[in-house]
Amino acid sequence: MIDRMSDDFGLARPSHLKSRSISAENPTGLPGQGARATQGTGEEQSRDLGQGWKVSPSIVLPAGSVTELAAINGSGIIQHIWAAVRPEWWRRLIIRFYWDGADEASIELPIGDLFGLGWDVFTLFSSRHVMTAPYCGLNSFWPMPFHKSARITIENIAQEDTFLYYYVDFGAGDIPEDSMYLHATWNRSNPVADGIHTLLDVEAQGKYVGTFLAVGVNHPGWWGEGEVKFFIDDDDEFPTIAGTGTEDYFGGAWNFELPEGGYTEYHGDRMGMHQVIKPDGLYQSQTRFGMFRWHLNDAVSFESSLRVTVQDLGWMPDGRYLVRKDDIASTAFWFATEPHASGTTGLTYENLLVGSRP
């Protein structure tokens, strides 16, 4: 199915799909139901204007709550998601997507990582599937088809309420029967144990289509020598695909280092290192990085299983490799023929917030 077209991994967007959008101004997404609110987060500001004048531009996410953002019945494809929420909430809000009535979420991760942003730090960047805009405008263009229904929830794990502005733009209507389901798996190792961080370990049929990696170095020295490996189907000890270094997988080379020294951000449609967060001289004493790699033309196909890992590897002063113990959080994007649990691990309050801003 996904080989049928090159655009968006072959996921067709038929012209007959009906345009719909779910937001705080139209929580059902039904035709003619937008901007009808008489109460909402903007009712004080619109008190002189009344209904139809931005009465409900956002929603409140109560502390410790799970809020349903969208419930769509029938088939279609989510084409764009926009959200706006302050950076300090990006690992305090857990977003989940459920396809076709599944009990377990196929996408489950902190909201910032869905949009390629780690460390509760805003960064401008643009790519094929994710882009950010001033200030804290978060955009996802990952195609998300569904056959029977789609449901999105968000959990506020913090002890304070917050506001969320959002759109879920989708096309409603028939989609190809063999359209696969998007999944996103988040995992964090802090510190990485035994030099290996696992991005994905799943039994399914599908295609691996993207990686977001947030790396926080826990001690000085070069951190990106480790290979990214894809263990496909019957692979056991040795993988089918083995890279030559972390920076190589993200399109760079030789430590990402410029001739004059130091790092610089870069980003394009397919890959980038869009976050180079320098030490602040106080609590954040080490540099932190954010990198993405979208497999637009080189999705990794698997028939029965896939395991994806990256080594946490650097150098010793004498030129030997050094197994490090850094802080790595990863998001793996993959399509599968059936809805599956995302395989997310480590979504505890402590694991999400360790290393975040004080």
Side-chain angles (χ1 to χ4, degrees), residues 212-335:
F212 167 58
L213 203 66
V215 175
V217 296
N218 284 333
H219 50 88
W222 168 235
W223 47 271
E225 202 61 36
E227 297 175 337
V228 178
K229 298 180 179 180
F230 291 81
F231 298 81
I232 302 171
D233 297 335
D234 295 328
D235 291 347
D236 186 10
E237 182 178 359
F238 299 103
T240 295
I241 299 175
T244 57
T246 307
E247 80 274 52
D248 307 338
Y249 173 72
F250 293 100
W254 291 317
N255 307 355
F256 290 125
E257 187 174 351
L258 296 171
E260 61 272 24
Y263 297 103
T264 188
E265 298 87 353
Y266 69 95
H267 51 91
D269 279 355
R270 292 168 171 79
M271 61 184 66
M273 183 171 69
H274 55 296
Q275 287 188 296
V276 178
I277 305 167
K278 296 179 181 180
D280 64 1
L282 189 60
Y283 299 110
Q284 305 293 354
S285 61
Q286 301 292 331
T287 307
R288 294 165 293 164
F289 303 86
M291 296 157 283
F292 69 92
R293 168 78 152 85
W294 310 146
H295 290 259
L296 282 172
N297 301 110
D298 60 344
V300 179
S301 301
F302 52 98
E303 294 296 325
S304 59
S305 65
L306 181 67
R307 178 162 53 94
V308 185
T309 65
V310 62
Q311 297 165 326
D312 187 16
L313 195 65
W315 291 102
M316 293 184 182
D318 62 4
R320 291 178 295 162
Y321 290 133
L322 171 68
V323 175
R324 296 172 57 91
K325 295 183 180 295
D326 291 315
D327 179 357
I328 298 180
S330 60
T331 301
F333 294 93
W334 49 288
F335 283 102

Side-chain angles (χ1 to χ4, degrees), residues 200-212:
L200 180 65
D201 190 355
V202 66
E203 293 184 1
Q205 179 183 12
K207 288 183 179 286
Y208 187 95
V209 295
T211 302
F212 167 58

Side-chain angles (χ1 to χ4, degrees), residues 7 59 184 190 312:
D7 184 58
I59 61 173
N190 185 23
D312 187 16

Side-chain angles (χ1 to χ4, degrees), residues 121-137:
V121 175
F122 178 74
T123 304
L124 284 172
F125 79 102
S126 179
S127 73
R128 178 63 175 273
H129 296 298
V130 179
M131 71 159 292
T132 62
Y135 171 62
C136 296

